[in-house]
Amino acid sequence: MQATDGPKGAKLKSIVSFRDGAQAPVEDLVACEEPLEIKLATGPAGNREHRSLAVTMRTPGQDAELAIGFLFTEGIIGKAADVSSCRHVGQALAPEAAENILLVELSPGTAVDFEKLNRHFYTSSSCGVCGKASIEMVRTVSLHYPRRAYPVFSAAVLQGFPDQLLGRQSLFAATGGIHAAGAFTPEGQLLAVREDVGRHNAMDKLIGSQLQAGRFPMRDVGVMVSGRLSFELVQKAATAGVPLLAAVGAPSSLAVELAEEHGITLAGFLRGTRFNVYCGQERIQW
């Protein structure tokens, strides 16, 4: 199949479509999925050390937000000022893959204990972070805890999240193969949306965007994600101080346990006029 240009984040493919017993050549848009290698530059000015940290399969676009969100939720940085710059440094043979290496320059005063980190990251669009060095390292320490019983979201406001999120999912509308994460005010205003083939990448992009914009910690907003509620999504939300996490799908048992542990309101199966609240009911106004 030959790919031609499509909207940013998507490629146009020549395919064969089978409908009602007949086949026909057509063109279809598919979501882009390409590797991004995240490299860190650390140390004092004039004596910088470059080290490869992670490879993630992502939809190209907002790579700096993705890297910053990832570094924050993994506890490598603690604030936006810890990053001085991000730039693509790839020298790939294929022109379309030239921006698949991102160098994140940490501020000279930002220390990274690579011995303590002591793990190699490989993240995929489907499962998130794999290859943790130990079971203990799966649970990271939250930097920003949500405030107790605050803010409050009405049931009517929650019910409006899915349609608003879907209305801003341009790549999903084009391809049908993309995840999204959106930040909402308690009044129901959609502040920001990020899309990616990986649900955890969409969350990292959203967190990175809010960190860069100075709207952090995210204690005053709720987050809605497409798909299901995994442990890792709750972990990232807890790290950013998100008080409410909602999804169109179901949560896992460990996601519910972690949400309870961090005081996060967890709502699943948010579709139409129905949803389930698995913990943190005190933030819902019925």
Side-chain angles (χ1 to χ4, degrees), residues 36 38 58-68 86 88 99-100 102 196 205:
L36 177 70
I38 300 172
R58 97 302 188 195
T59 299
Q62 296 130 358
D63 286 345
E65 292 177 353
L66 171 59
I68 289 171
C86 297
H88 289 99
E99 293 193 345
N100 285 350
L102 186 75
D196 199 275
K205 286 181 177 180

Side-chain angles (χ1 to χ4, degrees), residues 49 93 178 242 263:
E49 177 186 359
L93 296 177
I178 210 86
V242 174

Side-chain angles (χ1 to χ4, degrees), residues 54-128:
V55 175
T56 185
M57 301 302 296
R58 97 302 188 195
T59 299
Q62 296 130 358
D63 286 345
E65 292 177 353
L66 171 59
I68 289 171
F70 174 73
L71 293 175
F72 179 83
T73 57
E74 289 296 329
I76 296 169
I77 63 171
K79 55 187 183 299
D82 289 340
V83 175
S84 59
S85 69
C86 297
R87 68 182 188 276
H88 289 99
V89 295
Q91 295 181 347
L93 296 177
E96 66 273 13
E99 293 193 345
N100 285 350
I101 302 176
L102 186 75
L103 179 64
V104 181
E105 294 270 2
L106 297 187
S107 302
T110 303
V112 178
D113 188 345
F114 286 103
E115 291 302 319
K116 183 179 179 181
L117 200 61
N118 191 28
R119 60 178 170 178
H120 297 285
F121 290 108
Y122 173 80
T123 70
S124 76
S125 59
S126 58
C127 69

Side-chain angles (χ1 to χ4, degrees), residues 72-73 142-146 203-204 207 216-219 221 223 225 229-246 258-259 262 264-266:
F72 179 83
T73 57
S142 177
L143 298 179
H144 299 288
Y145 289 96
M203 178 69 91
D204 278 340
I207 291 173
F216 214 80
M218 297 169 67
R219 291 188 176 125
V221 299
V223 170
V225 299
L229 285 166
S230 65
F231 167 87
E232 189 183 26
L233 289 180
V234 175
Q235 183 186 53
K236 290 178 183 296
T239 304
V242 174
L244 178 142
L245 186 59
L258 190 66
H262 288 292
I264 295 173
T265 299
L266 205 63

Side-chain angles (χ1 to χ4, degrees), residues 110-170:
T110 303
V112 178
D113 188 345
F114 286 103
E115 291 302 319
K116 183 179 179 181
L117 200 61
N118 191 28
R119 60 178 170 178
H120 297 285
F121 290 108
Y122 173 80
T123 70
S124 76
S125 59
S126 58
C127 69
V129 175
C130 306
K132 301 281 187 177
S134 67
I135 294 297
E136 289 74 19
M137 297 188 76
V138 171
R139 288 181 179 266
T140 58
V141 177
S142 177
L143 298 179
H144 299 288
Y145 289 96
R147 282 176 280 191
R148 192 175 187 87
Y150 177 90
V152 173
F153 296 79
S154 73
V157 162
L158 276 181
Q159 290 165 7
F161 283 8
D163 285 344
Q164 285 200 70
L165 185 65
L166 187 60
R168 292 270 294 275
Q169 290 181 246
S170 58

Side-chain angles (χ1 to χ4, degrees), residues 25-64:
V26 297
E27 290 188 327
D28 189 35
L29 284 169
V30 296
C32 293
E33 182 177 28
E34 296 179 11
L36 177 70
E37 181 181 358
I38 300 172
K39 289 188 173 183
L40 290 185
T42 61
N47 188 27
R48 304 286 279 172
E49 177 186 359
H50 289 197
R51 186 179 298 210
S52 182
L53 178 71
V55 175
T56 185
M57 301 302 296
R58 97 302 188 195
T59 299
Q62 296 130 358
D63 286 345

